[in-house]
Amino acid sequence: MLTVKIDGVEVKVEPGTTILEAAEKAGVHIPIMCHHKNLNPFGACRVCLVEVKGSPKLMTACTTPVADNMEVITNTEKLQNIRKTLIELLLINHPLDCPVCDKGGECLLQDLTYEFGVTKVRFDEKPNNNPVDHTNPFIERDIDRCVLCGKCVRICDEIVNVEAISFINRGVETYIGTAFDQPWNCEYCGQCMSVCPVGSLNNRVYLFKNRPWHLEHTETICGYCSCGCTVIVDYEDNEVYRIKEDVDKGINKGLLCAKGRFGYELINSTERPVAPKVKESGEFKDVDYDGAINIISDKLKSVVEKYGSDSVAVLVSPRLTNEEAFLAQKFARDIIKTNNVYSLETADVLPDGNYADVESSDTLIVFNIDITESNPVLGYSVRVAGRREDSDLYVFYPNLTPLKRVASEFYVYKPTELYKEAEKLLKALDGENNEYSELADKFKNSEKPVFVFNPYNLKDVEIAKQISEKVEKVKLVPAKAKNNSQGIVDMGCVNGLKPGLVETEKSFDLREGIEGDKIKALLIFGENLAVKPEYFDIINLLNDLELVAVTDPFFSETAELGNVYIPVATFAEKDGSFTNFEGRVQQLNKAVDKGVFSDRKVLVDLMNKFGFSVKDDVNEIRSLIEEENPLYKGIDWNGGLVKYPYRIKDGISAEFSIKGDGEYELYPAFLRLHSGSYTRRSYDLSKVYGEPLLEINPEDAKKLNVNENDYVTVKFGKDSYKFRVNIDKKIPAGTAALPKDFKETAPLFFEGSYLKVDLIKHI
């Protein structure tokens, strides 16, 4: 440890600690402009200059490491004058438009101007007058307000690794821009905007809608993918105005993706119903909440009396909290007395590796998943590992992804080739000499090997299982899809498993129950079954059931097929907890009230109707969970990691198959800017990607004589489907990619995840 004295305060710090970090530990304030704790030290703005005894020159606190017995002075008249002059220099070209600037009230330049007492600029002011750039659908760019701190450039490079923007020109002509001033070509994550200290980069979804001093703030967990990011919901009068990050809170370290940062408009959507609906004579009519609960409970009692308990089934979505999922399965098993509890999640694979394991890995394999789309913040961790000089990243996928920039090797194979290559890798791990021998030796001998994969593809799970048996130290990272994909499994919302993964009698599967007329009443909590390819051929059979009750924030495609619908709260409107892909339990906090109840309230009221006494109280329900779920006994509900009994079940076996005999190999693309059908209710996300696009290679586009946004007919067997084209050179020739979980793609992917199809220009 080193001893350093800052403004007379003595602290002990680790070697390599900067003066700025030591000052923070000592409780001494040093002003900053270009520094950010997630970025490498830069030292551009010079606002953090300090005096060091024995040194003839001033030092930048953010870049200078402390030395033993160093004595630092941070606040002298000389330093104040220098800092004041620096701010005055920035203000020469900076427009004084604070009253109309969206950054007003949280602008670092404003704060420093006030702190240093700058009331008049002594230099000739020459404010710039360049046009505002709106080429990015989410971010407004006003280069006149830019102070050239470089934080946007650095975070786009060091964290996101897209390098969409850079310093252009030199000297007084310098500005932040894109290559050749082209439109933004980026992932729309908004990290650049989040670190901008002034109003140069602004949130277009929030633009001109409110002021920060009017807003209330609630810390909660994002309700989209399984990354489990901490977000700050900013709101006024129950209207969400923006979602932002806090660099000091959460496992995401202040990083968010496009859907987490900009997708919140679905919470405020005017398309959301507030009244329950009941179908009568083929038409839905509004009813009050109590009436809807009474109809559901009466119909359930009637169905149970007429057909028995096993005629009732419960389907649970990973959009539900742990508390809600627990109540759902308890209602089925303890009250209705049926084991017909289902979800579309898998218990074959459980959490193992975490963010720290990924970032510290020395050899990392990402197999058959575009992690930058499916789980973007986990993708940032993969990029962190890939950028380290002492780490190697290997990616196997049918097309190039942003990981290409940091991968030691990126293996692009058609789906039919991908699994053949995976078999070669497995054989190399067994000692066979082939093209993957070097990779296999490195992976087996690594101290911290990590394997990231898609847990919903059974063949990928089998490969992960084999790798775990061949590489003793490997950490497996199954990148689950939704915000509580793991939590609802833990809570027993899987056929044959009670809370805590305790085995129980397995019932018939959901498809068999619907198709075989065994299910007469189906309660669907949050799941949109109608867009799932595997149920496409039988989804209309829901019309034949005596009761299909659906809860969802929106009147979904599945709700349209039901006969009772209850609108419910989104993640920002309720308390509870989610369990992320790491197995980390994190707490939600209610921010706004949109005049609808939570799934928890619906379940509590239904349980009470059947004579089971339970309160709509999160803590009381958590007590029940800890009593009945051995995995969650004594768990820390705000950050605790669940300890699981296995990583991958024994006996997993699958064969890769591709159907059809067409010219092009079609495979599922991970949802662009979306997280299932839920986020498509966000106007701002959907205006960028609102329909499923067929992605093809430029060579194939030329061969088909199609241009960007033309329509192509996809032929599989006797069936034809029409999709708009997105031409992208990252897609290999002879293949095509199309996202699942769209109603329009469900009929096609019902045939299989991998298909050989023919493409024809649509006329």
Side-chain angles (χ1 to χ4, degrees):
M1 298 290 284
L2 305 178
T3 301
V4 60
K5 187 178 288 186
I6 302 177
D7 288 352
V9 180
E10 190 173 285
V11 290
K12 293 187 179 297
V13 296
E14 296 284 347
T17 302
T18 64
I19 293 174
L20 181 63
E21 291 166 337
E24 289 174 355
K25 187 173 182 180
V28 175
H29 168 69
I30 297 177
I32 54 174
M33 173 72 81
C34 69
H35 178 75
H36 192 279
K37 62 174 59 180
N38 279 349
L39 303 175
N40 294 326
F42 197 52
C45 69
R46 324 307 283 180
V47 171
C48 67
L49 286 171
V50 295
E51 295 181 21
V52 175
K53 283 196 174 180
S55 173
K57 63 178 184 178
L58 303 178
M59 304 283 194
T60 49
C62 68
T63 64
T64 306
V66 298
D68 200 22
N69 298 316
M70 177 184 279
E71 190 168 343
V72 179
I73 303 169
T74 72
N75 195 3
T76 63
E77 184 177 352
K78 177 183 177 180
L79 290 172
Q80 289 285 31
N81 288 334
I82 290 172
R83 291 168 181 165
K84 184 175 181 179
T85 301
L86 288 169
I87 298 302
E88 288 182 274
L89 291 169
L90 288 176
L91 291 174
I92 292 175
N93 300 121
H94 193 90
L96 297 179
D97 57 355
C98 300
V100 296
C101 177
D102 242 37
K103 199 72 172 182
E106 48 192 10
C107 171
L108 188 54
L109 184 59
Q110 271 187 340
D111 295 341
L112 293 176
T113 300
Y114 179 79
E115 181 180 344
F116 302 140
V118 179
T119 57
K120 184 179 180 181
V121 177
R122 293 170 291 167
F123 309 102
D124 292 334
E125 299 176 48
K126 294 181 180 179
N128 294 321
N129 188 27
N130 293 297
V132 177
D133 178 11
H134 290 119
T135 57
N136 187 304
F138 300 110
I139 302 169
E140 176 192 78
R141 184 168 65 116
D142 187 341
I143 61 172
D144 290 350
R145 297 172 180 161
C146 180
V147 292
L148 297 175
C149 68
K151 286 196 278 192
C152 58
V153 174
R154 289 148 55 210
I155 201 165
C156 194
D157 172 27
E158 296 174 22
I159 304 294
V160 187
N161 205 248
V162 169
E163 300 176 334
I165 50 179
S166 184
F167 288 98
I168 309 294
N169 296 333
R170 292 292 181 267
V172 295
E173 301 296 326
T174 304
Y175 67 96
I176 306 294
T178 60
F180 307 107
D181 288 324
Q182 294 295 304
W184 290 52
N185 180 20
C186 72
E187 298 177 7
Y188 306 130
C189 65
Q191 309 300 3
C192 57
M193 182 192 74
S194 73
V195 297
C196 181
V198 292
S200 185
L201 298 172
N202 295 305
N203 184 338
R204 291 185 65 185
V205 185
Y206 168 69
L207 200 65
F208 304 137
K209 291 181 179 177
N210 213 319
R211 284 298 199 181
W213 53 83
H214 293 149
L215 299 174
E216 297 179 72
H217 320 285
T218 296
E219 177 186 337
T220 191
I221 303 299
C222 180
Y224 299 143
C225 80
S226 70
C227 287
C229 298
T230 296
V231 295
I232 309 299
V233 180
D234 284 358
Y235 59 96
E236 183 184 26
D237 296 333
N238 289 315
E239 186 85 1
V240 176
Y241 281 93
R242 63 180 177 183
I243 283 181
K244 62 180 184 179
E245 72 298 318
D246 187 328
V247 70
D248 295 315
K249 295 180 179 178
I251 51 174
N252 51 311
K253 303 175 184 176
L255 303 175
L256 295 177
C257 68
K259 52 182 173 267
R261 191 184 304 278
F262 302 116
Y264 63 86
E265 277 295 296
L266 65 85
I267 301 168
N268 302 324
S269 175
T270 55
E271 295 179 6
R272 290 183 61 185
V274 292
K277 299 178 186 292
V278 174
K279 186 182 287 183
E280 291 183 0
S281 302
E283 298 291 330
F284 279 99
K285 70 171 188 177
D286 290 352
V287 296
D288 62 25
Y289 172 79
D290 290 335
I293 292 293
N294 288 333
I295 290 169
I296 295 172
S297 61
D298 291 346
K299 195 63 180 177
L300 282 174
K301 290 173 184 176
S302 171
V303 167
V304 170
E305 184 178 347
K306 188 175 178 181
Y307 303 103
S309 295
D310 282 339
S311 64
V312 177
V314 173
L315 175 62
V316 177
S317 163
R319 299 294 180 205
L320 269 63
T321 64
N322 287 322
E323 295 76 12
E324 292 165 341
F326 173 79
L327 289 180
Q329 65 81 34
K330 191 171 184 65
F331 176 70
R333 293 191 171 107
D334 294 355
I335 297 176
I336 301 297
K337 306 297 183 184
T338 180
N339 278 327
N340 298 344
V341 180
Y342 306 98
S343 71
L344 304 185
E345 289 300 329
T346 176
D348 293 339
V349 189
L350 299 178
D352 180 30
N354 55 35
Y355 282 108
D357 292 322
V358 173
E359 292 185 11
S360 63
S361 171
D362 49 7
T363 309
L364 179 63
I365 295 177
V366 178
F367 183 79
N368 200 27
I369 185 170
D370 183 355
I371 200 70
T372 63
E373 279 282 356
S374 64
N375 307 76
V377 173
L378 174 57
Y380 298 149
S381 293
V382 171
R383 290 182 237 208
V384 168
R387 283 178 64 93
R388 291 195 353 258
E389 291 185 4
D390 59 345
S391 176
D392 289 297
L393 169 63
Y394 300 92
V395 185
F396 291 77
Y397 195 61
N399 62 253
L400 292 174
T401 76
L403 294 183
K404 168 65 176 173
R405 302 182 183 98
V406 293
S408 303
E409 193 71 52
F410 199 117
Y411 300 99
V412 177
Y413 298 111
K414 292 180 179 181
T416 49
E417 300 168 347
L418 182 67
Y419 290 101
K420 293 177 183 177
E421 299 302 315
E423 289 299 322
K424 290 181 183 178
L425 173 61
L426 293 172
K427 289 178 181 178
L429 288 169
D430 285 332
E432 181 180 289
N433 186 23
N434 61 36
E435 59 264 49
Y436 298 110
S437 295
E438 184 179 345
L439 163 56
D441 289 344
K442 187 174 292 185
F443 200 60
K444 285 188 75 171
N445 296 320
S446 293
E447 288 298 314
K448 298 178 180 180
V450 171
F451 187 77
V452 181
F453 64 102
N454 177 6
Y456 302 104
N457 190 322
L458 202 58
K459 183 62 180 176
D460 296 6
V461 174
E462 182 196 359
I463 291 169
K465 177 73 170 176
Q466 292 188 55
I467 282 179
S468 70
E469 293 168 349
K470 299 175 190 297
V471 183
E472 182 182 353
K473 295 179 181 179
V474 70
K475 287 286 186 180
L476 302 180
V477 181
K480 293 201 170 181
K482 305 293 173 58
N483 50 296
N484 206 27
S485 289
Q486 186 56 46
I488 66 170
V489 173
D490 297 348
M491 293 301 134
C493 295
V494 178
N495 189 5
L497 292 177
K498 295 200 299 187
L501 305 175
V502 176
E503 292 188 0
T504 186
E505 182 182 351
K506 194 170 185 178
S507 182
F508 47 78
D509 66 39
L510 181 59
R511 167 178 272 276
E512 180 186 346
I514 297 172
E515 197 171 19
D517 200 28
K518 296 178 180 180
I519 295 173
K520 301 294 184 180
L522 178 60
L523 304 184
I524 303 177
F525 292 99
E527 190 59 81
N528 193 1
L529 205 62
V531 301
K532 304 300 179 182
E534 54 266 44
Y535 293 96
F536 163 74
D537 63 324
I538 64 169
I539 194 65
N540 285 327
L541 294 180
L542 295 186
N543 290 314
D544 299 333
L545 274 59
E546 296 196 14
L547 173 67
V548 177
V550 179
T551 67
D552 196 288
F554 293 89
F555 193 59
S556 66
E557 293 90 342
T558 302
E560 292 174 7
L561 298 171
N563 41 36
V564 183
Y565 163 72
I566 298 179
V568 290
T570 65
F571 70 94
E573 302 159 57
K574 58 186 176 183
D575 300 312
S577 62
F578 293 148
T579 304
N580 77 343
F581 78 88
E582 304 171 291
R584 188 183 304 275
V585 184
Q586 297 183 103
Q587 187 165 294
L588 274 76
N589 299 299
K590 181 176 179 179
V592 295
D593 189 331
K594 289 293 185 178
V596 295
F597 294 116
S598 65
D599 287 282
R600 187 181 72 240
K601 167 71 172 169
V602 173
L603 282 157
V604 165
D605 288 344
L606 281 175
M607 295 171 88
N608 289 338
K609 286 287 182 182
F610 280 79
F612 187 92
S613 179
V614 61
K615 293 180 181 177
D616 182 17
D617 180 84
V618 168
N619 292 324
E620 181 174 311
I621 297 167
R622 286 177 181 171
S623 296
L624 286 173
I625 292 172
E626 292 195 44
E627 287 175 15
E628 300 182 28
N629 187 333
L631 293 178
Y632 281 64
K633 187 173 183 179
I635 194 73
D636 178 358
W637 288 91
N638 198 23
L641 282 168
V642 179
K643 295 181 179 179
Y644 291 96
Y646 60 87
R647 299 195 290 182
I648 298 179
K649 276 185 178 179
D650 292 331
I652 299 292
S653 179
E655 293 295 328
F656 169 76
S657 66
I658 184 166
K659 297 181 180 179
D661 55 7
E663 181 181 354
Y664 296 86
E665 293 189 17
L666 178 72
Y667 60 93
F670 284 88
L671 294 171
R672 306 303 186 214
L673 292 183
H674 288 292
S675 181
S677 61
Y678 192 50
T679 50
R680 289 201 291 278
R681 303 288 184 167
S682 167
Y683 168 77
D684 293 283
L685 293 180
S686 292
K687 72 183 180 183
V688 177
Y689 200 103
E691 63 176 304
L693 299 179
L694 183 75
E695 300 174 9
I696 61 174
N697 183 274
E699 291 180 20
D700 292 327
K702 186 177 181 179
K703 180 179 174 182
L704 295 167
N705 192 28
V706 295
N707 298 312
E708 186 77 10
N709 291 322
D710 283 351
Y711 282 96
V712 162
T713 297
V714 178
K715 294 197 70 175
F716 180 79
K718 296 180 181 179
D719 299 319
S720 297
Y721 309 88
K722 184 180 77 170
F723 300 105
R724 196 186 297 272
V725 161
N726 172 217
I727 301 171
D728 196 328
K729 63 182 179 181
K730 73 182 182 186
I731 306 294
T735 67
L738 187 68
K740 282 185 173 182
D741 273 11
F742 278 85
K743 189 176 182 180
E744 299 88 340
T745 62
L748 179 57
F749 280 115
F750 167 69
E751 303 292 345
S753 292
Y754 297 96
L755 305 170
K756 287 188 174 182
V757 300
D758 286 312
L759 305 181
I760 304 169
K761 182 176 181 178
H762 184 79
I763 300 175

